[in-house]
Short mmCIF file of all heavy atoms in Angstrom, two decimals:
data_model
loop_
_atom_site.label_atom_id
_atom_site.label_comp_id
_atom_site.label_asym_id
_atom_site.label_seq_id
_atom_site.Cartn_x
_atom_site.Cartn_y
_atom_site.Cartn_z
N MET B 1187 0.84 -1.20 0.00
CA MET B 1187 0.00 0.00 0.00
C MET B 1187 0.87 1.24 0.00
O MET B 1187 2.06 1.19 0.29
CB MET B 1187 -0.89 0.04 1.24
CG MET B 1187 -0.09 0.15 2.54
SD MET B 1187 -1.11 0.46 3.98
CE MET B 1187 -1.53 2.19 3.71
N GLU B 1188 0.26 2.35 -0.37
CA GLU B 1188 1.00 3.60 -0.45
C GLU B 1188 0.46 4.58 0.59
O GLU B 1188 -0.75 4.65 0.83
CB GLU B 1188 0.77 4.18 -1.85
CG GLU B 1188 1.92 5.03 -2.35
CD GLU B 1188 1.76 5.38 -3.82
OE1 GLU B 1188 1.50 4.47 -4.63
OE2 GLU B 1188 1.90 6.57 -4.14
N PHE B 1189 1.35 5.31 1.24
CA PHE B 1189 0.89 6.31 2.20
C PHE B 1189 1.92 7.42 2.31
O PHE B 1189 3.08 7.26 1.91
CB PHE B 1189 0.64 5.65 3.57
CG PHE B 1189 1.89 5.26 4.32
CD1 PHE B 1189 2.41 6.08 5.31
CD2 PHE B 1189 2.52 4.06 4.05
CE1 PHE B 1189 3.56 5.70 6.02
CE2 PHE B 1189 3.67 3.68 4.75
CZ PHE B 1189 4.19 4.50 5.73
N VAL B 1190 1.48 8.53 2.85
CA VAL B 1190 2.38 9.66 3.06
C VAL B 1190 2.71 9.74 4.55
O VAL B 1190 1.81 9.75 5.39
CB VAL B 1190 1.75 10.98 2.61
CG1 VAL B 1190 2.67 12.15 2.92
CG2 VAL B 1190 1.46 10.92 1.11
N GLY B 1191 4.00 9.75 4.86
CA GLY B 1191 4.40 9.81 6.25
C GLY B 1191 5.56 10.77 6.42
O GLY B 1191 6.25 11.12 5.47
N TYR B 1192 5.78 11.17 7.67
CA TYR B 1192 6.86 12.11 7.95
C TYR B 1192 8.14 11.35 8.29
O TYR B 1192 8.21 10.57 9.22
CB TYR B 1192 6.47 13.01 9.12
CG TYR B 1192 7.51 14.05 9.44
CD1 TYR B 1192 7.59 15.21 8.67
CD2 TYR B 1192 8.41 13.88 10.49
CE1 TYR B 1192 8.54 16.17 8.96
CE2 TYR B 1192 9.37 14.83 10.78
CZ TYR B 1192 9.43 15.99 10.01
OH TYR B 1192 10.37 16.93 10.29
N CYS B 1193 9.18 11.58 7.46
CA CYS B 1193 10.47 10.95 7.71
C CYS B 1193 11.30 11.84 8.64
O CYS B 1193 11.54 13.00 8.32
CB CYS B 1193 11.21 10.73 6.39
SG CYS B 1193 12.85 10.02 6.65
N VAL B 1194 11.71 11.28 9.77
CA VAL B 1194 12.44 12.09 10.75
C VAL B 1194 13.87 12.39 10.28
O VAL B 1194 14.47 13.37 10.69
CB VAL B 1194 12.49 11.39 12.12
CG1 VAL B 1194 11.09 11.35 12.74
CG2 VAL B 1194 13.08 10.00 12.03
N ARG B 1195 14.41 11.54 9.42
CA ARG B 1195 15.78 11.77 8.95
C ARG B 1195 15.79 12.84 7.84
O ARG B 1195 16.62 13.73 7.83
CB ARG B 1195 16.41 10.49 8.46
CG ARG B 1195 17.89 10.68 8.14
CD ARG B 1195 18.55 9.40 7.67
NE ARG B 1195 18.69 8.43 8.76
CZ ARG B 1195 19.29 7.26 8.59
NH1 ARG B 1195 19.77 6.90 7.42
NH2 ARG B 1195 19.40 6.41 9.60
N CYS B 1196 14.85 12.73 6.90
CA CYS B 1196 14.75 13.73 5.82
C CYS B 1196 14.10 15.02 6.32
O CYS B 1196 14.23 16.07 5.68
CB CYS B 1196 13.94 13.18 4.66
SG CYS B 1196 14.63 11.71 3.90
N ARG B 1197 13.41 14.91 7.44
CA ARG B 1197 12.66 16.05 8.00
C ARG B 1197 11.63 16.61 7.02
O ARG B 1197 11.47 17.82 6.90
CB ARG B 1197 13.63 17.15 8.43
CG ARG B 1197 14.51 16.71 9.58
CD ARG B 1197 15.40 17.82 10.02
NE ARG B 1197 16.27 17.38 11.12
CZ ARG B 1197 17.22 18.14 11.66
NH1 ARG B 1197 17.43 19.34 11.22
NH2 ARG B 1197 17.96 17.66 12.63
N LYS B 1198 10.96 15.73 6.36
CA LYS B 1198 9.86 16.14 5.49
C LYS B 1198 8.93 14.96 5.21
O LYS B 1198 9.27 13.83 5.50
CB LYS B 1198 10.39 16.73 4.19
CG LYS B 1198 11.16 15.72 3.35
CD LYS B 1198 11.66 16.37 2.06
CE LYS B 1198 12.40 15.35 1.20
NZ LYS B 1198 12.90 15.97 -0.04
N GLN B 1199 7.80 15.30 4.61
CA GLN B 1199 6.84 14.26 4.24
C GLN B 1199 7.39 13.47 3.06
O GLN B 1199 7.93 14.04 2.12
CB GLN B 1199 5.51 14.92 3.83
CG GLN B 1199 4.89 15.79 4.89
CD GLN B 1199 3.98 15.01 5.82
OE1 GLN B 1199 3.45 13.97 5.47
NE2 GLN B 1199 3.82 15.51 7.01
N GLN B 1200 7.20 12.16 3.13
CA GLN B 1200 7.65 11.32 2.04
C GLN B 1200 6.51 10.41 1.61
O GLN B 1200 5.68 10.00 2.40
CB GLN B 1200 8.83 10.44 2.49
CG GLN B 1200 10.11 11.22 2.77
CD GLN B 1200 10.82 11.66 1.50
OE1 GLN B 1200 10.25 11.67 0.41
NE2 GLN B 1200 12.06 12.06 1.63
N ASN B 1201 6.49 10.10 0.33
CA ASN B 1201 5.49 9.18 -0.19
C ASN B 1201 6.05 7.76 -0.14
O ASN B 1201 6.94 7.40 -0.90
CB ASN B 1201 5.14 9.58 -1.63
CG ASN B 1201 3.88 8.91 -2.12
OD1 ASN B 1201 2.98 8.61 -1.32
ND2 ASN B 1201 3.79 8.66 -3.40
N ILE B 1202 5.55 6.98 0.78
CA ILE B 1202 6.05 5.61 0.97
C ILE B 1202 5.25 4.66 0.07
O ILE B 1202 4.03 4.60 0.18
CB ILE B 1202 5.89 5.18 2.45
CG1 ILE B 1202 6.39 6.27 3.40
CG2 ILE B 1202 6.61 3.86 2.69
CD1 ILE B 1202 7.83 6.66 3.23
N LYS B 1203 5.96 3.97 -0.78
CA LYS B 1203 5.25 3.12 -1.74
C LYS B 1203 5.22 1.65 -1.36
O LYS B 1203 4.51 0.86 -1.96
CB LYS B 1203 5.87 3.28 -3.13
CG LYS B 1203 5.73 4.72 -3.61
CD LYS B 1203 6.10 4.85 -5.08
CE LYS B 1203 5.84 6.28 -5.54
NZ LYS B 1203 6.13 6.47 -6.97
N GLN B 1204 6.02 1.26 -0.41
CA GLN B 1204 6.04 -0.14 -0.02
C GLN B 1204 5.57 -0.33 1.41
O GLN B 1204 6.10 -1.12 2.17
CB GLN B 1204 7.46 -0.70 -0.18
CG GLN B 1204 7.95 -0.68 -1.62
CD GLN B 1204 9.41 -1.06 -1.73
OE1 GLN B 1204 9.86 -2.01 -1.12
NE2 GLN B 1204 10.17 -0.29 -2.48
N GLY B 1205 4.58 0.47 1.77
CA GLY B 1205 4.07 0.40 3.14
C GLY B 1205 3.23 -0.84 3.39
O GLY B 1205 2.71 -1.45 2.47
N ARG B 1206 3.16 -1.19 4.65
CA ARG B 1206 2.27 -2.30 5.02
C ARG B 1206 1.54 -1.94 6.30
O ARG B 1206 2.00 -1.13 7.10
CB ARG B 1206 3.07 -3.59 5.20
CG ARG B 1206 4.08 -3.52 6.32
CD ARG B 1206 4.85 -4.83 6.40
NE ARG B 1206 5.70 -4.87 7.59
CZ ARG B 1206 6.91 -4.35 7.64
NH1 ARG B 1206 7.43 -3.75 6.59
NH2 ARG B 1206 7.60 -4.41 8.75
N LEU B 1207 0.39 -2.56 6.46
CA LEU B 1207 -0.42 -2.29 7.65
C LEU B 1207 0.03 -3.13 8.82
O LEU B 1207 0.28 -4.33 8.70
CB LEU B 1207 -1.89 -2.60 7.34
CG LEU B 1207 -2.63 -1.60 6.45
CD1 LEU B 1207 -4.00 -2.14 6.13
CD2 LEU B 1207 -2.74 -0.25 7.14
N GLU B 1208 0.13 -2.48 9.96
CA GLU B 1208 0.44 -3.20 11.19
C GLU B 1208 -0.43 -2.64 12.29
O GLU B 1208 -1.17 -1.69 12.09
CB GLU B 1208 1.92 -3.03 11.54
CG GLU B 1208 2.82 -3.77 10.58
CD GLU B 1208 4.25 -3.83 11.08
OE1 GLU B 1208 4.50 -3.44 12.22
OE2 GLU B 1208 5.11 -4.26 10.31
N LYS B 1209 -0.31 -3.23 13.46
CA LYS B 1209 -1.06 -2.71 14.60
C LYS B 1209 -0.14 -2.49 15.78
O LYS B 1209 0.83 -3.23 15.98
CB LYS B 1209 -2.18 -3.69 14.97
CG LYS B 1209 -3.36 -3.61 14.03
CD LYS B 1209 -4.59 -4.26 14.62
CE LYS B 1209 -5.79 -4.02 13.73
NZ LYS B 1209 -7.02 -4.59 14.33
N THR B 1210 -0.46 -1.47 16.53
CA THR B 1210 0.31 -1.21 17.74
C THR B 1210 -0.12 -2.20 18.81
O THR B 1210 -1.07 -2.96 18.63
CB THR B 1210 0.03 0.21 18.27
OG1 THR B 1210 -1.33 0.30 18.65
CG2 THR B 1210 0.31 1.26 17.21
N ALA B 1211 0.58 -2.18 19.93
CA ALA B 1211 0.25 -3.07 21.04
C ALA B 1211 -1.17 -2.83 21.53
O ALA B 1211 -1.81 -3.72 22.08
CB ALA B 1211 1.24 -2.87 22.16
N LYS B 1212 -1.65 -1.61 21.31
CA LYS B 1212 -3.01 -1.29 21.77
C LYS B 1212 -4.06 -1.55 20.69
O LYS B 1212 -5.22 -1.19 20.84
CB LYS B 1212 -3.07 0.18 22.21
CG LYS B 1212 -2.27 0.41 23.49
CD LYS B 1212 -2.41 1.84 23.97
CE LYS B 1212 -1.61 2.02 25.27
NZ LYS B 1212 -1.68 3.40 25.75
N GLY B 1213 -3.63 -2.10 19.57
CA GLY B 1213 -4.58 -2.45 18.53
C GLY B 1213 -4.89 -1.34 17.56
O GLY B 1213 -5.81 -1.44 16.75
N ARG B 1214 -4.12 -0.28 17.62
CA ARG B 1214 -4.37 0.84 16.71
C ARG B 1214 -3.64 0.58 15.39
O ARG B 1214 -2.47 0.21 15.41
CB ARG B 1214 -3.85 2.12 17.36
CG ARG B 1214 -4.33 3.34 16.62
CD ARG B 1214 -4.04 4.60 17.42
NE ARG B 1214 -4.41 5.75 16.62
CZ ARG B 1214 -4.09 7.00 16.93
NH1 ARG B 1214 -3.40 7.25 18.00
NH2 ARG B 1214 -4.48 7.99 16.16
N PRO B 1215 -4.32 0.76 14.26
CA PRO B 1215 -3.69 0.50 12.96
C PRO B 1215 -2.65 1.56 12.59
O PRO B 1215 -2.88 2.76 12.76
CB PRO B 1215 -4.87 0.50 11.98
CG PRO B 1215 -5.90 1.37 12.63
CD PRO B 1215 -5.74 1.15 14.11
N ILE B 1216 -1.54 1.11 12.09
CA ILE B 1216 -0.50 2.03 11.59
C ILE B 1216 0.01 1.52 10.26
O ILE B 1216 -0.05 0.34 9.96
CB ILE B 1216 0.70 2.15 12.57
CG1 ILE B 1216 1.33 0.77 12.82
CG2 ILE B 1216 0.29 2.80 13.88
CD1 ILE B 1216 2.64 0.85 13.59
N ALA B 1217 0.51 2.47 9.47
CA ALA B 1217 1.14 2.12 8.21
C ALA B 1217 2.64 2.26 8.43
O ALA B 1217 3.10 3.18 9.10
CB ALA B 1217 0.68 3.03 7.10
N LYS B 1218 3.41 1.33 7.88
CA LYS B 1218 4.85 1.34 8.09
C LYS B 1218 5.56 0.97 6.81
O LYS B 1218 5.12 0.08 6.08
CB LYS B 1218 5.18 0.33 9.20
CG LYS B 1218 6.60 0.35 9.66
CD LYS B 1218 6.85 -0.75 10.66
CE LYS B 1218 6.38 -0.37 12.06
NZ LYS B 1218 6.79 -1.38 13.06
N GLY B 1219 6.66 1.68 6.50
CA GLY B 1219 7.39 1.36 5.29
C GLY B 1219 8.67 2.16 5.19
O GLY B 1219 8.87 3.14 5.93
N PRO B 1220 9.56 1.78 4.27
CA PRO B 1220 10.85 2.46 4.12
C PRO B 1220 10.77 3.75 3.34
O PRO B 1220 10.11 3.81 2.31
CB PRO B 1220 11.70 1.41 3.39
CG PRO B 1220 10.72 0.65 2.58
CD PRO B 1220 9.45 0.61 3.39
N CYS B 1221 11.49 4.77 3.81
CA CYS B 1221 11.57 6.03 3.09
C CYS B 1221 12.31 5.81 1.77
O CYS B 1221 13.34 5.15 1.74
CB CYS B 1221 12.34 7.04 3.95
SG CYS B 1221 12.72 8.57 3.10
N PRO B 1222 11.78 6.35 0.67
CA PRO B 1222 12.41 6.15 -0.65
C PRO B 1222 13.78 6.83 -0.77
O PRO B 1222 14.59 6.46 -1.61
CB PRO B 1222 11.40 6.76 -1.63
CG PRO B 1222 10.61 7.71 -0.80
CD PRO B 1222 10.54 7.12 0.56
N GLU B 1223 14.06 7.80 0.08
CA GLU B 1223 15.34 8.52 -0.02
C GLU B 1223 16.42 7.98 0.92
O GLU B 1223 17.59 7.93 0.56
CB GLU B 1223 15.12 10.01 0.27
CG GLU B 1223 14.45 10.72 -0.90
CD GLU B 1223 14.38 12.22 -0.68
OE1 GLU B 1223 15.25 12.78 0.01
OE2 GLU B 1223 13.44 12.84 -1.20
N CYS B 1224 16.04 7.63 2.12
CA CYS B 1224 17.05 7.23 3.11
C CYS B 1224 16.81 5.86 3.72
O CYS B 1224 17.58 5.40 4.53
CB CYS B 1224 17.16 8.30 4.19
SG CYS B 1224 15.72 8.34 5.26
N SER B 1225 15.71 5.21 3.35
CA SER B 1225 15.39 3.87 3.82
C SER B 1225 15.03 3.77 5.31
O SER B 1225 14.87 2.68 5.84
CB SER B 1225 16.52 2.87 3.52
OG SER B 1225 16.66 2.76 2.12
N THR B 1226 14.95 4.92 5.96
CA THR B 1226 14.50 4.89 7.33
C THR B 1226 13.04 4.44 7.38
O THR B 1226 12.25 4.79 6.50
CB THR B 1226 14.61 6.31 7.96
OG1 THR B 1226 15.99 6.64 8.08
CG2 THR B 1226 13.94 6.39 9.32
N THR B 1227 12.69 3.67 8.37
CA THR B 1227 11.30 3.22 8.47
C THR B 1227 10.42 4.37 8.92
O THR B 1227 10.66 4.98 9.96
CB THR B 1227 11.17 2.05 9.47
OG1 THR B 1227 11.96 0.97 8.99
CG2 THR B 1227 9.72 1.60 9.59
N VAL B 1228 9.42 4.66 8.10
CA VAL B 1228 8.46 5.73 8.41
C VAL B 1228 7.15 5.10 8.83
O VAL B 1228 6.68 4.16 8.21
CB VAL B 1228 8.23 6.62 7.16
CG1 VAL B 1228 7.20 7.71 7.45
CG2 VAL B 1228 9.56 7.23 6.71
N THR B 1229 6.57 5.62 9.91
CA THR B 1229 5.30 5.08 10.35
C THR B 1229 4.26 6.21 10.39
O THR B 1229 4.59 7.37 10.53
CB THR B 1229 5.40 4.47 11.77
OG1 THR B 1229 5.84 5.47 12.68
CG2 THR B 1229 6.34 3.31 11.77
N ARG B 1230 3.03 5.81 10.25
CA ARG B 1230 1.94 6.78 10.33
C ARG B 1230 0.72 6.13 10.95
O ARG B 1230 0.35 5.03 10.58
CB ARG B 1230 1.60 7.28 8.92
CG ARG B 1230 0.43 8.23 8.96
CD ARG B 1230 0.06 8.74 7.59
NE ARG B 1230 -1.10 9.62 7.71
CZ ARG B 1230 -1.49 10.47 6.76
NH1 ARG B 1230 -0.82 10.54 5.64
NH2 ARG B 1230 -2.53 11.23 6.95
N PHE B 1231 0.13 6.84 11.90
CA PHE B 1231 -1.09 6.33 12.52
C PHE B 1231 -2.25 6.49 11.54
O PHE B 1231 -2.34 7.46 10.81
CB PHE B 1231 -1.42 7.11 13.80
CG PHE B 1231 -0.58 6.68 14.95
CD1 PHE B 1231 0.54 7.40 15.33
CD2 PHE B 1231 -0.91 5.51 15.65
CE1 PHE B 1231 1.31 6.99 16.41
CE2 PHE B 1231 -0.13 5.10 16.72
CZ PHE B 1231 0.98 5.84 17.10
N LEU B 1232 -3.12 5.51 11.53
CA LEU B 1232 -4.29 5.56 10.65
C LEU B 1232 -5.55 5.60 11.50
O LEU B 1232 -5.56 5.19 12.66
CB LEU B 1232 -4.32 4.29 9.77
CG LEU B 1232 -3.12 4.05 8.89
CD1 LEU B 1232 -3.24 2.68 8.24
CD2 LEU B 1232 -3.01 5.11 7.82
N SER B 1233 -6.61 6.03 10.87
CA SER B 1233 -7.91 5.96 11.54
C SER B 1233 -8.35 4.50 11.52
O SER B 1233 -7.85 3.69 10.74
CB SER B 1233 -8.92 6.84 10.83
OG SER B 1233 -9.23 6.26 9.58
N GLU B 1234 -9.30 4.17 12.35
CA GLU B 1234 -9.82 2.80 12.38
C GLU B 1234 -10.35 2.41 10.99
O GLU B 1234 -10.18 1.29 10.54
CB GLU B 1234 -10.95 2.70 13.40
CG GLU B 1234 -10.47 2.82 14.85
CD GLU B 1234 -9.63 1.63 15.26
OE1 GLU B 1234 -9.81 0.53 14.72
OE2 GLU B 1234 -8.75 1.80 16.12
N LYS B 1235 -10.99 3.35 10.33
CA LYS B 1235 -11.55 3.08 9.02
C LYS B 1235 -10.46 2.69 8.00
O LYS B 1235 -10.59 1.73 7.26
CB LYS B 1235 -12.28 4.34 8.54
CG LYS B 1235 -13.37 4.08 7.54
CD LYS B 1235 -14.14 5.38 7.30
CE LYS B 1235 -15.33 5.15 6.38
NZ LYS B 1235 -16.08 6.38 6.16
N GLN B 1236 -9.38 3.45 7.98
CA GLN B 1236 -8.30 3.19 7.05
C GLN B 1236 -7.64 1.83 7.35
O GLN B 1236 -7.21 1.13 6.46
CB GLN B 1236 -7.24 4.28 7.15
CG GLN B 1236 -7.68 5.59 6.50
CD GLN B 1236 -6.65 6.68 6.70
OE1 GLN B 1236 -6.31 7.00 7.84
NE2 GLN B 1236 -6.14 7.24 5.64
N GLY B 1237 -7.58 1.50 8.61
CA GLY B 1237 -6.93 0.25 9.00
C GLY B 1237 -7.64 -0.97 8.51
O GLY B 1237 -7.04 -2.04 8.39
N LYS B 1238 -8.91 -0.83 8.21
CA LYS B 1238 -9.68 -1.96 7.72
C LYS B 1238 -9.65 -2.10 6.21
O LYS B 1238 -10.10 -3.08 5.66
CB LYS B 1238 -11.14 -1.84 8.20
CG LYS B 1238 -11.28 -2.09 9.69
CD LYS B 1238 -12.68 -1.76 10.17
CE LYS B 1238 -12.78 -1.90 11.69
NZ LYS B 1238 -14.05 -1.35 12.20
N ALA B 1239 -9.14 -1.10 5.53
CA ALA B 1239 -9.13 -1.11 4.08
C ALA B 1239 -8.15 -2.15 3.54
O ALA B 1239 -7.18 -2.49 4.21
CB ALA B 1239 -8.76 0.27 3.54
ZN1 LIG N 2174 13.94 9.74 4.64
#
């Protein structure tokens, strides 16, 4: 899946194209994937609705 997340190393928003859905310990859906520029793992919290998509 694709998502936009904030990369802390690049210090800007990046379009992550190889993201995957995961869940936090509390069951909240998050998207996670490598930054296209620096390969740092970028995460983004999703709404419950998005997490089910
Ligand atoms: Zn980056």
Side-chain angles (χ1 to χ4, degrees):
M1187 64 170 286
E1188 209 171 311
F1189 72 98
V1190 177
Y1192 182 80
C1193 177
V1194 292
R1195 188 179 289 183
C1196 299
R1197 294 183 181 176
K1198 64 180 181 181
Q1199 302 272 335
Q1200 292 285 16
N1201 194 30
I1202 313 301
K1203 298 191 176 182
Q1204 297 172 46
R1206 62 182 188 276
L1207 285 174
E1208 290 191 8
K1209 283 197 173 182
T1210 65
K1212 291 184 179 178
R1214 192 169 175 191
I1216 58 171
K1218 188 184 279 188
C1221 172
E1223 285 187 28
C1224 70
S1225 296
T1226 292
T1227 299
V1228 178
T1229 59
R1230 177 180 179 164
F1231 282 100
L1232 302 172
S1233 70
E1234 290 293 332
K1235 205 173 185 179
Q1236 286 176 302
K1238 288 172 185 169

